């Protein structure tokens, strides 16, 4: 029975390989009427396979004819879930289920409309200036979205059966839209409202929502309908906490020209809902995810829409719901599932995005670079590079050229230089954009004495202490020592990532001794960058690991990134940005890890308290033993509780110590974070101040040289930097807001505040 | 999320015979582990390639290449340690079955790296699986 429920609507053995929905419903109904206790599972299916709700709803309608008690429980369950649902997806989907059950006569349309009205009035109150709080608009918008989202599933029935009531709701929605604050031109809610209106004027006819209940209408009409009471909506503080949980679901990306996706507006909305729900509920289940993505219950083709939807998630700002890798995987799976259609669509999307890459947000560009290189690595790096060979005629700072360059860089990292060279053989000129082929650049290759001495000490497994004394005793100017030592150690650790971290682990102290202040650390990074000048990857890794071992501070990294050499590369390469991203990300991860640890330590302490309390309660309880009142719970349970409590107490001391230590570490980390952002914004501000005034003048002069890309070098440089300021600010917004006062006071320029 | 079709806590059927402990301990180790095992790699895949791919799932703590016991050269597997369990889970979810260095690799949770586990246990010094491995890199055969 489980599989029958799960697989309704699918072409599968359980349903004899056919896909007639009427038969499916009858079969499912036939099985379920004998196994009625399984209604919680039914509800679970409806919640996680929302595109099948019309089928489930009809089944429930038929069951209603036979066993009203059962269906009553289903409705109650649904209602309870709705009441307790603090999760947007659940609310939206459960309401859809209720709407469909209304279609199957399981509930009356009247009560359903009352639910709509309650949501509507709550939304209106929220946005009303006196009683509500405009910052809760996300919540209010969501309620309205919920109402509108239900209409495709039951609009026709509602208009037929309760025309006045539903008209009131529509008027109410229109009124809400007029008083709320509009985001920008692509306002999701306004757009959805527009689609619903079009649907309404089409007599509520649409392709993308199956209506299986119509085949059973004659029978369903006899069913008894069950009551539905309206859920209580959160208010006050609850609302505020809930605010954070109403993120925008989709920011539509219009990659393809409109004629590729010719659908009724409402059908597009619904197909997107289906796709997003599958992506959400089938994360972790590759096979089913791909199979449901391609097998939606709609009569039209939607490969272009599917591509646009997935890319819109991949490029969603500030963060996609899942790691970008997820969408990479989905795209790969879909290319394999639809080899005749989907790969071409993806290629089309890439071309379209490439065309408009200069308009894309910096972070989106980075995501695209990482996605594309990873994607191609799964398909033997096959791509018609000759189509893009023209980027060589563009200036070095042209975004398209930089994009190609960075994709090739990442491809080399995922495979190897010769392979990537071979993959661009149809566009051999692009070789110019490949990263350098060579390996390390050891300054002391021909064996400067000191370097060789150090080398043999390391091979002889001498410990840091000894090496440090050796350095101090030898007569070397300190500056020189740094270079020799660092380069030699890097050379010893150059064979692989593991070699590097082994050297850092064993001889980190030596480096630390030599680079105790920030300026020395910057010199250190210079040495690293020089040694690994032919490998951006190893440069980034070495710097990242040194920061991990606290040999260099994130401060020093920022300083280095903003040094004059690197500044010149800001608009032509991703390398300095990669290093900056790593440093900020690591700082943030440290904080995030500490917070998690502190939270779990606090939980342990709370648990210890509970155990103690339980024990006390048990000890002082009066129980009957052989009819006589005795103090204390039964001995078995008492013994168990005692041992839990004792164990908890033992651990308590060490837990408290850990907690104290972690909290101190967290405080330090937060300070570092604040200092980091201060430094970051200060640096951004300084470099921009220097150059912005000149820039506007140059735009006209540069025009003659650049064919295809008209933006002058200086202007592009500024654009790139501003783009990154925006990206960093957005990604770490919550951390930045914590320190906003200090930042405001010291560094924030109006341009930044806008970001 | 996708609880209906697959139990996400259901673990791979592979059971390491050298694990010191009960089945329950083993399962607990797998459920909390931040180490992933990667198999079916090319013998030529470098740590840097592993780093580039796997760091997209999260910050990597360590990489340990699996080595042939006799020749001490890579023999097709490795371990990656993450700092966070979530990252390890994402690596298993999103990378297993995809391509690294032209081969489809397998990514699974590992019960925890210990010294000694980096050596292949097959008779010839490579992995046990290699006794059955049919898709060798083309030039490997030239060296044998």
């Amino acid at each position: 029975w489980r599989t029958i429920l799960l697989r309704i609507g699918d072409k599968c053995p359980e349903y004899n390989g056919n896909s007639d929905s009427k038969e499916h419903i009858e079969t499912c109904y036939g099985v379920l009427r004998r196994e009625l206790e399984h209604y919680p599972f039914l509800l679970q299916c409806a919640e996680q396979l929302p595109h099948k709700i019309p089928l489930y709803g009809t089944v429930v309608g038929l069951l209603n004819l036979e066993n009203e008690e059962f269906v009553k429980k289903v409705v109650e369950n649904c209602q309870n879930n709705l009441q307790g649902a603090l999760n947007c997806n659940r609310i939206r989907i459960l309401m859809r289920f209720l709407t469909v059950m209304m279609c199957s006569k399981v509930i009356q349309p009247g009560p359903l409309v009352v639910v709509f009205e309650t949501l509507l009035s709550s939304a209106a109150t929220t946005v009303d200036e006196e009683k509500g709080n405009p910052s809760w608009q996300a919540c209010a918008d969501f309620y309205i979205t919920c109402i509108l989202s239900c209409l495709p599933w039951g609009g026709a029935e509602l208009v037929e059966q309760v025309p006045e009531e539903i008209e009131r709701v529509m008027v109410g929605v229109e009124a809400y839209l007029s008083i709320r604050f509009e985001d920008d031109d692509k306002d999701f809610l306004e757009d959805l409202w527009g689609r619903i209106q079009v649907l309404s004027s089409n007599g509520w006819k649409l392709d993308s929502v199956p209506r299986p209940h119509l085949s059973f209408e004659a029978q369903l009409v006899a069913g008894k309908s069950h009551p539905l009471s309206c859920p209580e909506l959160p208010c006050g503080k609850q609302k505020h906490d809930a605010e954070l949980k109403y993120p925008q679901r989709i920011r539509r990306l219009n990659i393809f020209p409109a004629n590729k996706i010719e659908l009724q507006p409402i059908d597009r909305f619904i197909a997107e809902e289906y796709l997003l729900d599958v992506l959400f509920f089938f994360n972790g289940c590759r096979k089913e995810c791909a199979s449901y993505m391609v097998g939606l219950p709609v009569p039209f083709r939607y490969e272009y829409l599917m591509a646009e939807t997935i890319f819109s998630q991949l490029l969603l700002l500030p963060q996609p719901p899942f790691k970008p890798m997820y969408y990479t995987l989905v795209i790969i799976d879909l290319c394999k599932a639809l080899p005749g259609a989907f790969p071409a669509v993806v290629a089309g999307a890439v071309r379209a995005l490439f065309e408009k890459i200069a308009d894309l947000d910096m972070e989106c560009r980075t995501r695209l670079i990482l996605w594309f290189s990873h994607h191609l690595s799964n398909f033997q790096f096959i791509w018609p590079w000759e189509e893009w060979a023209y980027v060589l005629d563009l200036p070095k700072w042209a975004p398209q050229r930089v994009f190609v360059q960075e994709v090739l860089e990442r491809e080399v990292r995922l495979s190897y230089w010769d392979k990537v060279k071979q993959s661009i053989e149809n566009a051999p000129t692009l070789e110019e954009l490949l990263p350098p082929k060579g390996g390390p650049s050891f300054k002391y290759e021909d064996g400067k004495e000191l370097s060789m001495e150090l080398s043999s000490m390391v091979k002889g497994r001498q410990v840091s202490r000894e090496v440090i004394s050796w350095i101090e005793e030898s007569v070397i100017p300190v500056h020189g020592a740094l270079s020799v030592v660092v380069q030699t150690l890097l050379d010893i650790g150059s064979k692989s990532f593991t070699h590097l971290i082994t050297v850092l682990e064993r001889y980190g102290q030596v480096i630390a001794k030599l680079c105790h202040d920030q300026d020395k650390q910057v010199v250190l990074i210079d040495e690293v960058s020089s040694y690994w000048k032919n490998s951006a990857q190893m440069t980034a890794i070495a710097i990242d690991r040194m920061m991990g071992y606290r040999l260099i501070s994130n401060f020093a990294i920022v300083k280095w990134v903003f040094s004059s050499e690197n500044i010149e590369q800001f608009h032509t390469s991703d390398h300095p940005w990669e290093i900056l991203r790593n440093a900020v990300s690591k700082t943030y991860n440290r904080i995030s890890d500490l917070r998690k640890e502190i939270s779990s330590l606090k939980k342990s302490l709370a648990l210890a308290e509970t155990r103690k309390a339980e024990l006390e309660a048990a000890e002082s309880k009066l129980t009957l033993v052989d009819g006589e009142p005795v103090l204390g719970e039964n001995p078995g349970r008492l013994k168990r509780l005692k041992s839990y409590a004792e164990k908890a107490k033992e651990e308590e001391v060490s837990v408290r110590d850990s907690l104290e230590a972690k909290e101190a570490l967290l405080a330090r980390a937060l300070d570092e974070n604040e200092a980091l952002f201060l430094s970051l914004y200060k640096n951004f501000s300084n470099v921009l101040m220097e150059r912005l005034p000149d820039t506007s003048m140059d735009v006209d002069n540069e025009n003659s040289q650049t064919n295809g890309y008209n933006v002058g070098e200086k202007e592009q440089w500024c654009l790139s930097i501003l783009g990154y300021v925006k990206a960093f600010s957005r990604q770490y917004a919550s951390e930045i807001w914590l320190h906003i006062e200090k930042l405001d006071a010291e560094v924030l320029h109006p341009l930044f505040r806008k970001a | 999320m996708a609880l209906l079709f697959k139990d996400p806590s259901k673990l791979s059927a592979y059971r390491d015979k050298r694990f010191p402990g009960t089945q329950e301990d083993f399962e607990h180790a797998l459920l909390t582990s931040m180490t992933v095992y990667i198999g079916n790699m090319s013998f030529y895949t470098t740590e840097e390639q592993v780093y580039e791919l796997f760091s997209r799932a999260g910050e990597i703590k360590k990489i340990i290449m699996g080595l042939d016991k006799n020749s001490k050269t890579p023999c097709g597997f490795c371990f990656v340690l993450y700092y966070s369990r979530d990252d390890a889970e994402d690596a298993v979810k999103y990378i297993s079955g995809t391509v690294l260095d032209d081969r489809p690799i397998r990514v699974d949770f590992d019960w925890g790296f210990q010294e000694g586990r980096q050596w292949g246990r097959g008779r010839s010094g490579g992995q046990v699986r290699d006794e059955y491995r049919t898709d060798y890199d083309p030039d490997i055969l030239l060296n044998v």
Side-chain angles (χ1 to χ4, degrees):
Chain A
W1 58 268
R2 264 184 114 95
T3 341
I4 295 272
L5 259 177
L6 269 177
R7 291 272 176 210
I8 193 173
D10 297 341
K11 213 173 196 151
C12 59
E14 287 79 5
Y15 286 95
N16 301 322
N18 76 45
S19 43
D20 178 62
S21 44
K22 189 155 188 248
E23 275 181 48
H24 277 235
I25 292 174
E26 280 167 352
T27 313
C28 185
Y29 161 70
V31 166
L32 213 54
R33 58 198 273 248
R34 279 171 257 132
E35 313 251 10
L36 291 174
E37 64 277 19
H38 300 306
Y39 67 86
F41 187 68
L42 172 66
L43 209 49
Q44 214 186 351
C45 284
E47 283 194 57
Q48 293 187 26
L49 295 161
H51 61 276
K52 295 188 180 182
I53 280 178
L55 297 168
Y56 292 125
T58 313
V59 172
V60 170
L62 289 173
L63 289 169
N64 196 25
L65 301 172
E66 258 200 37
N67 188 327
E68 288 165 5
E69 265 311 299
F70 163 73
V71 174
K72 185 159 183 231
K73 282 203 209 109
V74 171
V75 174
E76 274 172 11
N77 222 345
C78 194
Q79 197 177 283
N80 290 338
N81 288 355
L82 188 59
Q83 178 67 57
L86 293 170
N87 162 323
C88 296
N89 274 341
R90 266 197 121 177
I91 297 177
R92 175 180 52 90
I93 292 173
L94 283 170
M95 283 191 56
R96 190 192 290 182
F97 194 42
L98 285 173
T99 308
V100 166
M101 287 203 284
M102 183 262 318
C103 293
S104 296
K105 317 290 181 201
V106 173
I107 56 181
Q108 290 280 0
L112 184 65
V113 176
V114 170
V115 176
F116 290 171
E117 284 177 338
T118 313
L119 288 175
L120 183 55
S121 74
S122 177
T125 326
T126 302
V127 180
D128 170 37
E129 267 148 31
E130 285 156 52
K131 290 193 229 160
N133 183 338
S135 67
W136 295 340
Q137 182 167 298
C139 175
D141 276 1
F142 169 70
Y143 288 152
I144 304 295
T145 309
C146 260
I147 299 173
L148 294 178
S149 305
C150 289
L151 295 178
W153 277 264
E157 282 77 5
L158 286 169
V159 162
E160 197 189 302
Q161 295 169 30
V162 286
E164 282 166 16
E165 289 83 335
I166 198 70
E167 177 63 24
R168 258 206 316 265
V169 171
M170 301 288 260
V171 167
V173 169
E174 198 156 15
Y176 170 79
L177 286 170
S178 64
I179 60 175
R180 74 188 266 279
F181 174 70
E182 249 170 67
D183 220 334
D184 50 19
D185 330 81
K186 288 186 186 166
D187 193 78
F188 178 74
L189 197 54
E190 288 277 354
D191 175 272
L192 177 56
W193 174 240
R195 290 172 199 262
I196 294 283
Q197 287 186 299
V198 171
L199 175 64
S200 157
S201 60
N202 277 347
W204 300 96
K205 289 202 193 68
L206 74 174
D207 291 324
S208 45
V209 175
R211 313 190 73 77
H213 61 275
L214 293 175
S215 342
F216 297 91
E217 198 148 26
Q219 299 150 272
L220 289 173
V221 151
K224 172 179 179 228
S225 49
H226 300 271
L228 176 73
S229 55
C230 194
E232 270 171 43
L233 297 169
C235 58
K237 178 153 196 297
Q238 276 178 317
K239 223 176 201 169
H240 174 67
D241 293 332
E243 147 87 74
L244 295 167
K245 295 186 202 154
Y246 297 106
Q248 201 170 49
R249 242 194 145 195
I250 187 170
R251 197 79 195 246
R252 233 168 245 128
L253 264 190
N254 292 317
I255 303 179
F256 299 107
N259 60 2
K260 294 279 191 204
I261 307 186
E262 266 171 11
L263 297 173
Q264 246 209 93
I266 195 64
D267 284 327
R268 178 179 181 137
F269 167 71
I270 291 173
E272 280 169 353
E273 288 261 294
Y274 286 156
L275 289 167
L276 292 175
D277 282 337
V278 171
L279 282 172
F280 180 77
F281 288 110
F282 288 91
N283 175 281
C285 265
R286 281 176 73 176
K287 228 177 67 182
E288 282 77 16
C289 180
S291 99
Y292 281 122
M293 290 285 276
V294 306
L296 295 177
V298 297
F300 46 79
R301 291 188 67 162
Y302 54 94
E303 291 96 19
Y304 286 98
L305 179 59
M306 192 156 63
E308 269 193 8
T309 307
I310 300 174
F311 275 107
S312 81
Q313 296 294 280
L314 175 68
L315 300 175
L316 195 65
L317 298 169
Q319 294 293 341
F322 298 100
K323 281 196 175 121
M325 277 205 116
Y326 176 45
Y327 305 102
T328 314
L329 185 64
V330 171
I331 292 176
I332 292 173
D333 283 343
L334 291 174
C335 281
K336 294 197 182 139
L338 299 172
F342 203 61
V345 171
V346 173
V350 172
R351 288 190 181 100
L353 287 165
F354 182 70
E355 194 73 24
K356 304 183 225 158
I357 201 136
D359 300 330
L360 222 54
D361 182 278
M362 286 318 243
E363 190 178 332
C364 290
R365 287 185 224 182
T366 311
R367 282 197 214 156
L368 212 55
I369 289 167
L370 291 172
W371 166 76
F372 194 42
S373 50
H374 188 183
H375 176 83
L376 288 179
S377 77
N378 272 269
F379 295 102
Q380 288 133 347
F381 297 109
I382 296 175
W383 177 256
W385 291 103
E386 61 276 12
E387 282 178 23
W388 292 350
Y390 70 85
V391 298
L392 283 168
D393 299 327
L394 299 175
K396 274 201 199 121
W397 57 88
Q400 287 185 333
R401 180 171 163 148
V402 176
F403 177 79
V404 172
Q405 177 187 288
E406 294 304 324
V407 168
L408 292 174
E409 157 81 36
R410 295 288 172 161
E411 283 191 350
V412 171
R413 294 192 198 183
L414 286 168
S415 61
Y416 51 95
W417 200 91
D418 287 308
K419 175 116 196 207
V420 178
K421 173 172 169 195
Q422 193 213 4
S423 76
I424 55 172
E425 62 195 359
N426 290 338
T429 45
L430 286 179
E431 201 180 311
E432 194 184 317
L433 294 179
L434 286 178
K437 186 172 179 180
S441 294
F442 189 26
K443 245 186 234 172
Y444 308 102
E445 189 76 64
D446 6 346
K448 187 163 169 178
E449 264 177 33
L450 291 161
S451 166
M452 286 176 63
E453 234 183 286
L454 175 56
S455 212
S456 57
M457 285 183 82
V458 168
K459 289 201 181 103
R461 296 287 184 116
Q462 305 229 349
V463 297
S464 296
R465 232 184 326 114
E466 291 163 341
V467 175
I468 294 176
S469 347
W470 169 78
I471 293 177
E472 285 170 351
E473 281 155 27
S474 320
V475 184
I476 330 169
V478 180
H479 207 76
L482 210 169
S483 174
V484 174
V485 170
V486 168
Q487 291 247 353
T488 310
L489 288 176
L490 281 175
D491 195 59
I492 295 170
S494 65
K495 255 183 98 185
S496 77
F497 169 71
T498 300
H499 284 85
L500 171 67
I501 60 180
T502 310
V503 162
L504 290 178
E505 256 169 35
R506 288 209 192 123
Y507 298 101
Q509 282 177 308
V510 178
I511 298 179
K513 197 100 205 298
L514 287 170
C515 307
H516 44 255
D517 68 48
Q518 218 195 97
D519 289 323
K520 296 260 168 47
Q521 288 174 14
V522 174
V523 175
L524 168 61
I525 303 176
D526 264 331
E527 291 295 330
V528 172
S529 163
S530 147
Y531 182 84
W532 280 117
K533 67 175 189 259
N534 289 333
S535 169
Q537 184 192 28
M538 285 312 291
T539 311
I541 291 179
I543 295 176
D544 179 71
R545 292 294 132 167
M546 286 182 180
M547 180 181 157
Y549 286 110
R550 290 198 179 263
L551 298 173
I552 48 185
S553 69
N554 49 17
F555 232 64
I557 295 177
V558 171
K559 195 160 176 193
W560 180 82
V561 168
F562 282 91
S563 66
S564 43
E565 267 170 37
N566 286 320
I567 292 182
E568 295 309 320
Q569 282 189 61
F570 273 179
H571 54 327
T572 57
S573 159
D574 186 53
H575 305 174
W577 299 113
E578 183 185 358
I579 292 169
L580 194 57
R581 280 197 300 266
N582 287 348
V584 179
S585 162
K586 206 186 206 54
T587 310
Y588 175 73
N589 285 338
R590 276 181 182 154
I591 292 180
S592 159
D593 285 346
L594 280 169
R595 283 196 181 128
K596 275 191 203 144
E597 284 168 39
I598 289 177
S599 158
S600 84
L601 284 172
K602 283 193 172 151
K603 276 200 190 112
S604 298
L605 282 181
L607 187 63
E609 288 301 308
T610 329
R611 294 272 181 243
K612 213 161 63 173
E614 270 175 6
L615 183 61
E616 281 170 12
E619 280 175 343
S620 51
K621 191 170 154 185
L622 281 175
T623 46
L624 285 176
V625 175
D626 299 332
E628 294 287 324
V630 162
L631 197 64
E633 265 267 23
N634 81 64
R637 178 166 152 81
L638 206 54
K639 192 166 162 201
R640 223 181 28 243
L641 285 178
K642 223 175 197 149
S643 76
Y644 287 156
E646 268 166 19
K647 188 162 172 232
K649 195 150 182 213
E650 274 169 22
E651 296 173 346
E652 194 178 336
V653 175
S654 73
V655 169
R656 278 197 197 280
D657 282 340
S658 287
L659 188 58
E660 222 183 285
K662 299 280 179 194
E663 282 178 336
L665 283 172
L666 178 62
R668 175 175 80 158
L670 286 171
D671 281 340
E672 280 177 358
N673 204 24
E674 185 182 85
L676 176 68
F677 280 113
L678 264 171
S679 156
L680 204 56
Y681 281 113
K682 223 175 204 151
N683 274 295
F684 272 126
S685 150
N686 289 341
V687 292
L688 281 169
M689 297 286 217
E690 271 173 29
R691 303 217 178 176
L692 264 174
D694 310 329
T695 308
S696 24
M697 325 232 189
D698 282 27
V699 172
D700 304 285
N701 300 343
E702 308 271 354
N703 262 345
S704 46
Q705 280 222 349
T706 66
N707 45 357
Y709 192 61
N710 293 325
V711 176
E713 177 163 14
K714 290 221 171 95
E715 196 185 336
Q716 180 59 49
W717 184 89
C718 289
L719 283 173
S720 300
I721 299 208
L722 284 172
Y724 278 110
V725 172
K726 193 160 145 197
F728 274 112
S729 309
R730 181 184 52 225
Q731 190 173 1
Y732 296 102
S734 50
E735 294 304 318
I736 295 176
W737 280 114
L738 285 179
H739 307 290
I740 195 68
E741 278 165 22
K742 197 148 183 210
L743 285 173
D744 232 357
E746 298 196 20
V747 277
L748 284 186
H749 189 273
L751 263 176
F752 293 172
R753 226 172 273 127
K754 196 164 163 209
Chain B
M1 259 112 234
L3 298 169
L4 296 176
F5 283 98
K6 177 159 123 182
D7 188 359
S9 61
K10 182 160 163 251
L11 307 158
S12 147
Y14 176 71
R15 169 81 161 94
D16 189 342
K17 293 193 184 72
R18 298 245 184 111
F19 177 78
T22 65
Q23 177 70 19
E24 218 180 86
D25 292 335
F26 183 63
E27 286 179 11
H28 175 80
L30 289 185
L31 286 170
T32 52
S33 165
M34 299 194 268
T35 307
V36 296
Y37 161 89
I38 297 143
N40 203 42
M41 281 169 55
S42 153
F43 288 18
Y44 295 112
T45 301
T46 62
E47 282 188 27
E48 289 70 48
Q49 287 166 317
V50 172
Y51 190 92
E52 175 66 22
L53 181 60
F54 282 84
S55 58
R56 291 167 189 228
E59 211 178 318
I60 295 180
K61 187 167 169 176
K62 215 170 188 184
I63 298 177
I64 298 152
M65 295 298 267
L67 304 172
D68 180 300
K69 205 167 41 185
N70 303 326
S71 65
K72 315 272 202 276
T73 53
C75 64
F77 73 99
C78 76
F79 299 97
V80 168
L81 281 73
Y82 285 101
Y83 287 104
S84 116
R85 166 74 187 182
D86 285 342
D87 295 342
E89 285 180 8
D90 287 342
V92 173
K93 258 201 295 193
Y94 303 141
I95 309 184
S96 192
T98 66
V99 170
L100 170 62
D101 200 21
D102 241 6
R103 295 181 67 92
I105 51 171
R106 189 184 124 192
V107 182
D108 266 324
F109 291 110
D110 184 80
W111 55 268
F113 181 76
Q114 285 177 3
E115 185 52 44
R117 296 190 66 224
Q118 74 270 39
W119 305 110
R121 294 188 220 147
R123 261 165 303 178
S124 55
Q127 282 192 274
V128 173
R129 279 175 203 270
D130 283 335
E131 318 305 340
Y132 312 108
R133 192 161 142 154
T134 54
D135 53 347
Y136 281 99
D137 307 301
D139 6 17
I140 280 285
L141 297 172
L142 297 173
N143 294 335
V144 164

